[in-house]
Amino acid sequence: MAESVSSASASSKVKSNPFTSAQTQLCDDGNGGLLQNGYRVDGASVNYATGEIRIPKSAFKHGLNIAEYTRNHLQNGSPSYESVSGHLRTVTDVVVIAPQTAQVSFISSPDTRTINEVFNLGAQVFDILQDIPYPRAALLNSWLFEVGGKLITERNGVLYQDLDPRTGAARAVGTLDALSGRVSLNDIAPDMLREIKVLGGIYTTGDFAVKTFSGHTATAPLKPRSFTVYAEMNGKMIVGRSQADGSLKSDNEQDLQGTVDYETGFFTFTTKQPILPLSVRYSAVSQSHVPLSAERLGINPTRLPADGRVPIFRAGDYVVLSNEMVQEIGSVHSAGQVIPFARTNCDRVCVIDANGQHVNADKYVDDLDNNKLTWNTPLDLGEYTLPLKLVLIHEEDNRIVETDISGNLKLQDPISRDYPIENTYISSAVVGGDLQTRSTEPFTQTNWHGIWENARNGNPTRGVLNVKDYPIVLTSDGAIEERWRIEFRSPTQIEVYGENLGLVWDNDVNTDVAPINPATDKPYFTLPKQAFGMGGWEAGNCIRFNTFGTMMPVWFLRVIQPHKSARNQDNSDGFRACLRGNTEIL
């Protein structure tokens, strides 16, 4: 019996092919056999128990038209110029299995297999400058061709067909490479294209292609990052853009690389493939400088950089990296109310009102570990404009290891978290070191000689100041760096003087000495009244000591020279200073 195939195997091999459809219908005769057109098929059977169906190959023999393809050389000796043509051949001794839900598939050998034919339609390349000696190049926007009776127009290296002269609409069908003279036509059927007619065009000779190009801008110096160079390579435009360090880079770094000197305007670059020198052009922004009088400017202008930018960070500087997130907390607030934070792991928080005024920190307690804020009891927010906002801050300090001209900073330590670009700033920091309030040991002298000295000048007094049992009390929010003098006007009346502040307190020895610092409403220092002892003081006696506060003197110098304000000028320029520390105020 002829070899048989399983219907399940045949249906899995169904593929779409351009062959003539053939259909064969078989039906069960009820006795385990198969009928075709009313006649029993020899060798065909149905196993009702297992469901297996066996069909001989003879039941599916039909004639099919099969396409065969050959390759044709368009020009002798040029293997890259080829086309594909085809014809149909009729095959009769093949087995065809064609379920009604699929297109035709065929089996032409005892083994079941799938056959695919893949070929390209119309990718045709012609050299319109062949036989023209090198160096040569096609001049763009000058060529007209005829292919298959249709005109093809070239514009900027693109080939268009079916041009509508009224609307300018056309269909792009290929490209022209000016440097090589190659015309590429796409999506053209092989049997439709046998030749291309050149109806018109201009070519040039004498221009060499180069891979390295050097030049000089018309003016200099140049504004950094403003230089851009353009060149044509293999029919496409490549663009090299200048970076902050003067390097030239293209989107594909292998296409173009080079450098530009912003001071002199000299540039040079190399390309991956040859380019036409005449295709190179550039754009740049030059800078000019107006000489300024050092007397009027108030600073020696020769020390200013050419581009006007002054570096504010240097290697070794401490910086603070921070990001702020604003959380709206509304207008209804009550004592003891707990407000959860909208972000976790905050390093610092503050509350501001609708006008940006900071709410005094003694009105709430922030719990950074548990991500919440609690209003104190009692609560009075009458001096603030509602609604209020929470400012949740992520920040950390670091040290700069390296800086470069592009503005990039290399930090010494890895950052502890990801910072979003929006609302993230890096700020310079002045390190104060360990700051602690303290006072020197007081000393007494019988009379004041008008000289501020840190040692006794004369004899000690009969009265003794007991600071061992009743020490001078200092707080970081009141104490300052100052030399103090307590002078007796009588055995009980005293006055307190500061070297720089003058008279700050006038009272008697029966009251704690606590002159108020008007900047913080806290005492500069507090000397308990018990320290004066049982007496022995006389008019003219004085007590001398020095105090040192936690305040660190920092100069802020922000200079804007007189100038004419531009219309619609943005007045948002400014800066903020923040005092940071890792200890509580004592």
Side-chain angles (χ1 to χ4, degrees):
M1 207 64 183
E3 291 187 20
S4 61
V5 295
S6 170
S7 63
S9 173
S11 62
S12 65
K13 298 298 182 179
V14 173
K15 298 290 182 180
S16 176
N17 291 290
F19 303 135
T20 302
S21 175
Q23 295 185 358
T24 298
Q25 294 184 353
L26 300 175
C27 61
D28 177 18
D29 63 358
N31 297 315
L34 293 178
L35 301 177
Q36 181 182 26
N37 298 326
Y39 297 94
R40 185 181 179 88
V41 178
D42 294 336
S45 64
V46 178
N47 189 326
Y48 297 119
T50 63
E52 180 183 9
I53 301 175
R54 301 190 63 83
I55 306 172
K57 294 169 61 174
S58 59
F60 298 97
K61 288 186 177 180
H62 292 270
L64 290 179
N65 294 325
I66 300 177
E68 294 184 345
Y69 301 97
T70 59
R71 296 186 177 273
N72 304 300
H73 289 281
L74 301 182
Q75 296 179 2
N76 292 331
S78 301
S80 60
Y81 307 142
E82 298 180 358
S83 67
V84 180
S85 63
H87 66 276
L88 297 178
R89 178 171 64 88
T90 301
V91 179
T92 57
D93 190 17
V94 297
V95 175
V96 177
I97 301 176
Q100 294 187 3
T101 59
Q103 297 184 11
V104 176
S105 176
F106 72 96
I107 302 174
S108 58
S109 70
D111 298 325
T112 301
R113 58 192 177 93
T114 302
I115 300 176
N116 294 321
E117 283 287 338
V118 179
F119 58 92
N120 296 323
L121 291 178
Q124 307 299 328
V125 180
F126 300 92
D127 185 0
I128 61 174
L129 298 181
Q130 72 175 20
D131 300 330
I132 299 175
Y134 287 92
R136 66 189 188 183
L139 183 64
L140 298 182
N141 300 312
S142 67
W143 294 87
L144 181 65
F145 307 101
E146 181 182 337
V147 177
K150 293 187 176 182
L151 295 178
I152 295 180
T153 306
E154 176 268 328
R155 288 294 180 268
N156 296 321
V158 181
L159 304 180
Y160 296 97
Q161 184 176 298
D162 301 330
L163 176 64
D164 188 341
R166 296 175 300 175
T167 63
R171 181 169 62 93
V173 295
T175 58
L176 166 62
D177 184 359
L179 186 61
S180 64
R182 290 185 177 181
V183 170
S184 299
L185 293 173
N186 304 320
D187 300 329
I188 304 296
D191 58 347
M192 296 288 294
L193 181 63
R194 295 299 180 187
E195 63 180 1
I196 180 172
K197 294 182 180 179
V198 180
L199 302 182
I202 301 174
Y203 65 88
T204 61
T205 59
D207 287 336
F208 289 90
V210 297
K211 286 190 174 182
T212 302
F213 189 97
S214 300
H216 193 285
T217 58
T219 59
L222 304 179
K223 182 179 179 181
R225 295 179 179 267
S226 70
F227 181 83
T228 306
V229 65
Y230 306 87
E232 186 177 318
M233 182 177 70
N234 291 337
K236 71 174 184 178
M237 186 65 66
I238 57 175
V239 181
R241 298 177 177 85
S242 63
Q243 311 300 310
D245 59 355
S247 61
L248 296 177
K249 295 182 180 180
S250 59
D251 294 337
N252 183 355
E253 294 187 5
Q254 295 182 351
D255 288 344
L256 185 148
Q257 292 181 340
T259 59
V260 58
D261 188 335
Y262 293 129
E263 293 296 325
T264 63
F266 179 80
F267 64 92
T268 182
F269 64 88
T270 59
T271 58
K272 180 180 179 181
Q273 299 293 334
I275 62 170
L276 289 176
L278 291 179
S279 70
V280 177
R281 66 184 190 274
Y282 71 85
S283 63
V285 177
S286 64
Q287 298 182 134
S288 59
H289 306 282
V290 178
L292 300 174
S293 169
E295 295 181 358
R296 287 192 173 187
L297 188 61
I299 189 174
N300 187 356
T302 59
R303 301 184 62 184
L304 297 176
D307 59 4
R309 296 184 300 172
V310 179
I312 62 173
F313 297 112
R314 295 168 296 181
D317 286 352
Y318 279 96
V319 293
V320 177
L321 187 65
S322 62
N323 175 267
E324 294 185 358
M325 173 183 175
V326 177
Q327 175 183 346
E328 302 282 349
I329 58 176
S331 302
V332 180
H333 303 279
S334 58
Q337 178 183 356
V338 177
I339 301 176
F341 296 162
R343 89 183 332 178
T344 60
N345 195 25
C346 294
D347 298 291
R348 186 161 52 89
V349 299
C350 63
V351 183
I352 59 176
D353 69 358
N355 296 327
Q357 180 182 355
H358 282 260
V359 176
N360 200 320
D362 61 7
K363 295 186 179 296
Y364 58 86
V365 175
D366 55 65
D367 187 350
L368 301 181
D369 294 330
N370 296 306
N371 307 306
K372 65 182 181 179
L373 176 145
T374 305
W375 291 113
N376 285 336
T377 303
L379 179 66
D380 182 8
L381 300 175
E383 58 183 303
Y384 304 106
T385 303
L386 302 178
L388 302 181
K389 300 177 183 178
L390 266 178
V391 181
L392 309 174
I393 302 171
H394 283 166
E395 67 180 12
E396 57 189 281
D397 47 344
N398 214 312
R399 174 173 268 183
I400 296 177
V401 175
E402 181 182 341
T403 64
D404 60 39
I405 194 174
S406 66
N408 293 325
L409 303 177
K410 183 178 180 180
L411 301 180
Q412 174 178 302
D413 302 317
I415 59 177
S416 61
R417 58 170 69 91
D418 292 332
Y419 286 85
I421 295 178
E422 185 179 3
N423 295 327
T424 296
Y425 297 91
I426 188 165
S427 308
S428 55
V430 179
V431 180
D434 294 333
L435 301 176
Q436 184 177 5
T437 60
R438 61 188 177 90
S439 65
T440 61
E441 183 178 356
F443 61 88
T444 64
Q445 59 189 51
T446 55
N447 294 290
W448 173 246
H449 302 289
I451 301 175
W452 291 91
E453 297 178 282
N454 294 328
R456 181 184 295 117
N457 183 358
N459 297 321
T461 63
R462 288 192 306 114
V464 177
L465 189 70
N466 183 8
V467 293
K468 177 181 178 181
D469 298 321
Y470 306 100
I472 299 173
V473 178
L474 301 173
T475 60
S476 58
D477 56 354
I480 64 172
E481 184 176 350
E482 181 66 298
R483 293 200 280 197
W484 302 100
R485 180 178 92 250
I486 301 176
E487 188 170 346
F488 284 79
R489 293 304 178 190
S490 72
T492 58
Q493 294 294 319
I494 58 175
E495 295 176 345
V496 178
Y497 293 87
E499 180 183 15
N500 299 299
L501 299 178
L503 179 64
V504 297
W505 197 81
D506 181 6
N507 213 311
D508 56 48
V509 294
N510 298 317
T511 305
D512 292 342
V513 180
I516 298 299
N517 184 342
T520 62
D521 287 332
K522 306 290 183 174
Y524 289 115
F525 63 89
T526 300
L527 177 62
K529 59 186 178 182
Q530 292 86 350
F532 292 104
M534 299 302 295
W537 302 99
E538 299 176 358
N541 290 171
C542 66
I543 302 170
R544 272 278 297 112
F545 63 94
N546 303 336
T547 60
F548 300 88
T550 57
M551 293 180 292
M552 181 183 67
V554 178
W555 283 91
F556 288 98
L557 181 62
R558 186 165 179 251
V559 180
I560 299 178
Q561 296 296 328
H563 64 288
K564 182 179 179 181
S565 299
R567 293 183 178 180
N568 301 322
Q569 179 173 320
D570 185 3
N571 296 319
S572 62
D573 177 52
F575 72 95
R576 287 189 296 175
C578 177
L579 179 63
R580 303 175 71 248
N582 55 2
T583 60
E584 297 292 337
I585 295 178
L586 300 177

